[in-house]
Amino acid sequence: MQPVRQHNTVIQGEYYAAVDLGSNSFHMVVVHVVNGSVQIIGKVKQKVRLAAGLTEQMELDDESMQRGWQCLQTFSERLQDIPRSNIKVVATATLRLATNAHTFIQKAETILGHKLEVISGKEEARQIYLGVAYTSANQGNTLVIDIGGASTEIIIGNDMHPIHLVSTDMGCVTFMERFFPNGQISAQNFATAQAQANTLLDNVADTFLCFDWHNCLGASGTPQAITEILVAQGISDAIRLDYLYSLRDQCVASAHIDNLDIKGLEASRKAIFPSGLAILISLFERLHIRDMNISGGALREGLIYGMLDNLQENDRRTQTLNQTMKRYHIDQHHAESVRGLALRLCHQLCAQTTLCHLDTEAVLGAAAILHEIGLHIEYKKHHEHGAYILTYIDLPGYTKLQRGAIRDLVQCHRMSIKPELFAHYHEEVRPMLENLLRVLRIAVVLCLRRQNKHIPDVELTVSDDVWTLTFPKGWLNAHPLINAELANETWLQHRVSWKLVCQ
């Protein structure tokens, strides 16, 4: 591909595309890769419901195949502009099951002008894990779940490496057709669907329960829909079983798909929401899942990153933060100074309390690095500008909940403290974020002069809401400006019933 010239500057880069012919939706994602940065420049998703066209004889009916081919006509034009070697087209469960899949595939390949690969359930699971791992990096073993239209993939892995994976024959489209006929929703329908899901999970659950996993991530589909519901209802939290039970009660109360009215649930998702919910409840119960966060990617992202071998082993979070600092002209030296001091204080905090979670340092470190992102706009309200920017930009390597926490820490890192920003977080998360905010605000004040030689070796002592900062002898008197700022910070924290003592 020829480089693009703009204003006498050569911008090197290549375009890649991944097409995922799923059992519920067909997806296409197009990215532009420049200097190691993967920029999504196009996403297309169409509800095809291919699995709904499977007859009892496991044949695809003509109507469903026509829907699929029509969708691929729209994809084909975009693919013409991308090198063939940079395109990956795969199909999943429905075309694995359909006895006449060859009929659909032959015409699909003619439309796209590209080879279509029907991947196995295990390969689908591997690619899903790759997409999740790249876009939502986590420490330790991670359980990943993807509920598709005709299959559900369950994977446990560490960093970029899947350890154990399975693909089960249950999906939101096939379960809807089978257990919620004609859109009827009842407690009995849910019970029957969950019983079938439990039967399928009984064959694999014990193996997953043997692993010591620390995080659970849901990839798109039903988990994404539930996360959108939580956000729309003002709940900043991971997905938990009590939320799922509440949503099931609301579905049953509606009695029919046409009457289903849940704030935050997209109309296009309603038809398959109860069936996906039933599967997810069974997964939570059988695998003893405590909470689940939504990932930043899934199968198509896995296909993309699978073509970019040179990017797979990079630290996704470090890469994201470095690119964001460059994009918004953040003073890297100062940002890293604030981060370093914040993490030192955080280590002292965590040693004295039980507030810290597995992702504590990741969230605090990112907020410290990005706390001045709003200076790109102007100084006076740069904390608010920073929060606005972080609301809308992507941060690969961080989950949706982590991104929200980073944004809120940045918004409140200076000037008046607004406890209401954290009021909508779950009671298990809120205390950690409030204490990370105290750490970040102190680190910002102590790094005020923007030179490492003026950063003190400070000791933090924590006793409930009373924090004591002990400085080297004579340090505060030798730094009257920072001493004055600490006095102001002490007053601001006092206004929200937090006590800060500097000595």
Side-chain angles (χ1 to χ4, degrees):
M1 176 172 289
Q2 294 297 316
V4 180
R5 294 185 178 273
Q6 295 182 349
H7 304 294
N8 298 321
T9 299
V10 178
I11 302 176
Q12 300 288 346
E14 280 200 276
Y15 294 93
Y16 292 80
V19 179
D20 160 22
L21 309 187
S23 300
N24 181 42
S25 302
F26 285 7
H27 299 259
M28 179 173 65
V29 60
V30 180
V31 303
H32 186 208
V33 181
V34 183
N35 296 326
S37 173
V38 181
Q39 304 168 352
I40 295 176
I41 61 171
K43 274 189 176 182
V44 183
K45 172 184 176 181
Q46 288 195 16
K47 296 282 186 185
V48 175
R49 305 257 165 85
L50 200 64
L54 282 173
T55 66
E56 292 184 1
Q57 293 73 37
M58 300 307 288
E59 287 190 347
L60 275 175
D61 61 28
D62 289 340
E63 185 178 350
S64 64
M65 288 198 287
Q66 288 294 339
R67 291 197 303 270
W69 291 329
Q70 186 175 2
C71 173
L72 295 181
Q73 290 284 0
T74 65
F75 287 5
S76 63
E77 182 179 2
R78 186 66 185 88
L79 295 177
Q80 293 172 15
D81 303 324
I82 299 171
R84 291 177 59 84
S85 61
N86 293 1
I87 298 173
K88 188 81 170 177
V89 182
V90 303
T92 56
T94 297
L95 290 179
R96 289 198 295 266
L97 297 170
T99 56
N100 61 340
H102 62 281
T103 302
F104 180 85
I105 293 170
Q106 186 176 26
K107 186 168 181 178
E109 290 180 337
T110 301
I111 293 170
L112 294 173
H114 200 279
K115 178 73 173 175
L116 188 160
E117 179 184 1
V118 180
I119 57 176
S120 68
K122 285 197 171 183
E123 176 61 15
E124 181 180 0
R126 189 184 74 83
Q127 294 286 358
I128 288 168
Y129 183 82
L130 178 61
V132 170
Y134 194 94
T135 56
S136 305
N138 269 280
Q139 298 174 346
N141 290 345
T142 299
L143 180 70
V144 171
I145 290 172
D146 187 306
I147 301 173
S151 68
T152 293
E153 281 65 48
I154 311 169
I155 315 102
I156 191 146
N158 190 297
D159 192 40
M160 297 298 294
H161 308 291
I163 299 171
H164 180 65
L165 44 81
V166 298
S167 179
T168 62
D169 291 331
M170 58 181 180
C172 54
V173 176
T174 52
F175 265 43
M176 193 66 195
E177 296 286 325
R178 184 175 174 184
F179 300 111
F180 298 86
N182 302 314
Q184 299 293 328
I185 307 174
S186 67
Q188 183 57 51
N189 288 350
F190 262 100
T192 306
Q194 287 179 229
Q196 176 61 21
N198 291 342
T199 298
L200 294 170
L201 290 172
D202 284 343
N203 298 323
V204 301
D206 287 346
T207 304
F208 284 97
L209 291 173
C210 289
F211 287 96
D212 181 22
W213 49 270
H214 307 286
N215 314 286
C216 179
L217 294 174
S220 63
T222 300
Q224 176 68 47
I226 293 171
T227 299
E228 290 171 357
I229 290 170
L230 295 179
V231 171
Q233 297 183 6
I235 303 171
S236 284
D237 194 15
I239 300 170
R240 299 175 188 268
L241 192 55
D242 56 339
Y243 297 146
L244 302 185
Y245 288 154
S246 175
L247 289 170
R248 181 178 62 185
D249 290 343
Q250 293 177 60
C251 288
V252 171
S254 71
H256 194 276
I257 289 294
D258 293 342
N259 303 325
L260 190 57
D261 185 19
I262 298 175
K263 183 180 179 181
L265 178 61
E266 291 185 3
S268 62
R269 191 79 201 175
K270 286 184 179 181
I272 54 172
F273 183 72
S275 52
L277 179 61
I279 292 170
L280 190 58
I281 289 174
S282 292
L283 286 162
F284 263 71
E285 293 177 343
R286 278 296 188 266
L287 299 181
H288 302 170
I289 298 171
R290 181 171 172 274
D291 53 54
M292 170 189 284
N293 280 288
I294 188 70
S295 72
L299 176 57
R300 45 253 173 223
E301 287 79 13
L303 297 172
I304 288 289
Y305 293 113
M307 290 187 278
L308 307 176
D309 293 335
N310 60 313
L311 296 180
Q312 288 188 34
E313 299 302 326
N314 290 348
D315 185 303
R316 276 80 65 203
R317 288 174 174 168
T318 299
Q319 186 182 75
T320 288
L321 295 177
N322 287 339
Q323 291 170 356
T324 306
M325 280 192 286
K326 183 177 180 180
R327 178 181 178 184
Y328 291 96
H329 312 292
I330 295 173
D331 182 339
Q332 183 172 353
H333 173 77
H334 177 61
E336 290 178 348
S337 295
V338 173
R339 177 181 181 273
L341 178 56
L343 291 180
R344 290 198 297 275
L345 292 170
C346 182
H347 294 160
Q348 297 179 52
L349 169 69
C350 295
Q352 299 173 64
T353 68
T354 58
L355 295 167
C356 302
H357 299 182
L358 193 65
D359 57 356
T360 295
E361 291 189 15
V363 169
L364 175 62
I369 287 289
L370 302 177
H371 77 280
E372 288 190 336
I373 191 173
L375 283 177
H376 185 72
I377 299 176
E378 63 93 42
Y379 171 75
K380 185 176 181 180
K381 294 185 177 181
H382 73 262
H383 53 299
E384 296 180 8
H385 301 317
Y388 178 85
I389 292 170
L390 291 169
T391 299
Y392 295 103
I393 66 171
D394 193 17
L395 293 176
Y398 296 90
T399 65
K400 187 179 184 69
L401 185 59
Q402 290 168 344
R403 295 197 301 269
I406 293 165
R407 175 202 61 213
D408 291 340
L409 288 173
V410 168
Q411 181 169 353
C412 211
H413 84 270
R414 63 190 290 267
M415 302 184 71
S416 297
I417 300 170
K418 300 177 180 178
E420 63 271 16
L421 280 179
F422 303 99
H424 54 288
Y425 285 91
H426 192 272
E427 60 185 9
E428 294 181 7
V429 179
R430 190 186 314 125
M432 179 190 75
L433 292 180
E434 290 175 343
N435 280 272
L436 292 190
L437 176 61
R438 298 182 75 173
V439 166
L440 179 60
R441 291 176 66 96
I442 291 168
V444 169
V445 171
L446 295 182
C447 292
L448 179 65
R449 294 185 63 178
R450 309 179 85 89
Q451 294 185 35
N452 287 342
K453 65 181 181 181
H454 296 295
I455 298 176
D457 185 12
V458 62
E459 180 180 335
L460 170 64
T461 304
V462 177
S463 178
D464 295 325
D465 281 339
V466 181
W467 285 25
T468 302
L469 293 174
T470 303
F471 292 83
K473 186 176 181 180
W475 191 91
L476 290 173
N477 289 334
H479 296 81
L481 173 62
I482 296 178
N483 195 9
E485 289 296 324
L486 283 172
N488 183 59
E489 178 61 22
T490 299
W491 166 244
L492 292 173
Q493 294 202 19
H494 169 74
R495 291 176 62 185
V496 293
S497 300
W498 297 344
K499 187 173 182 180
L500 178 64
V501 178
C502 300
Q503 61 185 28

